[in-house]
Amino acid sequence: MSQYTLITGASSGIGESLAREYAESGHDLILTARRTDRLEKLAAELRERHGRSVEVVSADLGDPSGVAELADTVIARDWGLQGLVNNAGFGDSGPFAKRPREKQLAMIQVNVTALVDLTHRLLPQLQRAQAPFILNVASVAAFQAGPNMAVYYASKAFVLSFSESLAEELRGRVSVSALCPGPTDSEFAERAEASKAKLFKMGTMTSQQVAEIGVKNQNRTIVIPGVRNKMMVWSGKVTPRALLRRVAYRINR
Ligand SMILES: NC(=O)c1ccc[n+]([C@@H]2O[C@H](COP(=O)([O-])OP(=O)(O)OC[C@H]3O[C@@H](n4cnc5c(N)ncnc54)[C@H](OP(=O)(O)O)[C@@H]3O)[C@@H](O)[C@H]2O)c1
């Protein structure tokens, strides 16, 4: 029986690049996001180029019933699931009090609740596979507070902490990895209304670079792509938190 890898948020950016990487390294795929036209186009390209089975399931992870329907579809169709890549997510830029409450709550639903929900629903399937794995896309934002992107940074701290705990609980049975990119070329900055923030003007990695490093190192619990991002996280560990949040406040503007 073939074994599939489910990738959320595969319609653009890092998720699309992860799909390309996994297809190239021999995985059959289930691609999900809301923009089905993009997923279908990518699926056709990957089938043609790599000869893999690629299924498309459209789902809105901003709606709890969308998460349940996605998991039910994967289970009902009995696609043997080997990999779960929780990549879908978005951010929002600006002072918390001035940003729309609905967007903050939707962010927690997609970045946190859907990730936990999907993982819990699909773990029994994963545990029946050979060499099963979970790859959660966190961020360098996970390592500190992020004024002007407060809810986003907090959501990624959750993803990192949750992934580390799961990695320990499932050690030897399911590999769990948290991929922690820094600023990356994708639709993220525009959707977060952060294109003008200093953070994104200081240089970005490509989604392809991030995905390549993520897939190659998914046997590690925490993966930080790029020397500059690694240095940022390391230096953050020896910098007083009060100073770190001041700096974040400035570069997130
Ligand atoms: N770019 C960066 O600088 C950066 C840095 C660190 C971490 N990250 C993380 O990387 C992950 C991927 O982001 P990206 O940079 O590739 O941004 P992106 O190009 O905007 O991609 C985000 C993906 O998430 C999907 N998504 C968003 N809301 C969704 C919803 N309600 N239901 C289903 N899917 C949804 C989008 O698909 P549809 O719109 O088609 O539904 C899209 O495929 C995110 O978790 C992000 O937080 C990004």
Side-chain angles (χ1 to χ4, degrees):
M1 192 172 88
S2 71
Q3 294 202 347
Y4 283 82
T5 294
L6 168 65
I7 305 177
T8 71
S11 60
S12 66
I14 296 170
E16 180 182 334
S17 296
L18 283 167
R20 292 182 194 284
E21 279 303 310
Y22 279 115
E24 200 176 327
S25 53
H27 291 245
D28 293 326
L29 300 176
I30 306 161
L31 307 179
T32 186
R34 291 166 300 183
R35 289 171 295 179
T36 317
D37 50 335
R38 287 196 182 202
L39 296 177
E40 293 288 6
K41 212 170 141 205
L42 178 62
E45 184 198 317
L46 297 179
R47 283 182 206 118
E48 163 100 22
R49 184 174 298 175
H50 302 290
R52 308 307 318 176
S53 292
V54 186
E55 307 286 346
V56 168
V57 183
S58 150
D60 181 357
L61 304 182
D63 177 353
S65 66
V67 183
E69 277 166 29
L70 170 61
D72 288 349
T73 303
V74 171
I75 293 164
R77 300 219 190 149
D78 208 17
W79 290 315
L81 196 66
Q82 181 193 22
L84 169 61
V85 179
N86 285 307
N87 160 78
F90 67 93
D92 188 48
S93 169
F96 174 71
K98 294 198 174 146
R99 301 303 301 162
R101 185 174 58 256
E102 297 73 20
K103 195 173 177 187
Q104 312 310 307
L105 297 177
M107 204 189 313
I108 295 170
Q109 165 60 31
V110 175
N111 297 8
V112 175
T113 310
L115 182 148
V116 172
D117 194 357
L118 207 53
T119 303
H120 199 272
R121 286 173 188 273
L122 295 178
L123 249 179
Q125 282 243 321
L126 285 168
Q127 285 178 306
R128 286 199 288 273
Q130 275 175 6
F133 68 91
I134 297 171
L135 188 149
N136 290 330
V137 180
S139 167
V140 290
F143 296 90
Q144 63 172 98
N148 279 323
M149 287 186 92
V151 174
Y152 178 71
Y153 275 58
S155 76
K156 293 301 178 178
F158 180 100
V159 174
L160 177 61
S161 170
F162 174 65
S163 306
E164 286 192 71
S165 297
L166 267 198
E168 212 47 48
E169 289 181 18
L170 298 172
R171 181 173 297 282
R173 287 177 291 154
V174 182
S175 143
V176 182
S177 181
L179 174 60
C180 303
T184 306
D185 245 352
S186 70
E187 296 175 10
F188 177 89
E190 198 184 321
R191 285 188 174 192
E193 298 174 52
S195 305
K196 290 192 184 128
K198 289 188 192 73
L199 182 64
F200 283 93
K201 295 199 184 299
M202 286 157 43
T204 52
M205 287 178 74
T206 65
S207 292
Q208 194 57 42
Q209 289 170 321
V210 169
E212 245 181 74
I213 294 169
V215 173
K216 219 176 266 168
N217 294 285
Q218 68 174 38
N219 56 333
R220 295 177 180 212
T221 306
I222 301 175
V223 179
I224 302 166
V227 175
R228 212 183 62 168
N229 293 326
K230 280 194 184 74
M231 282 172 60
M232 207 157 85
V233 170
W234 288 338
S235 64
K237 288 182 180 164
V238 293
T239 307
R241 284 181 79 86
L243 179 59
L244 266 187
R245 42 183 195 260
R246 286 275 162 85
V247 173
Y249 179 67
R250 281 167 197 276
I251 65 172
N252 285 340
R253 278 207 286 198

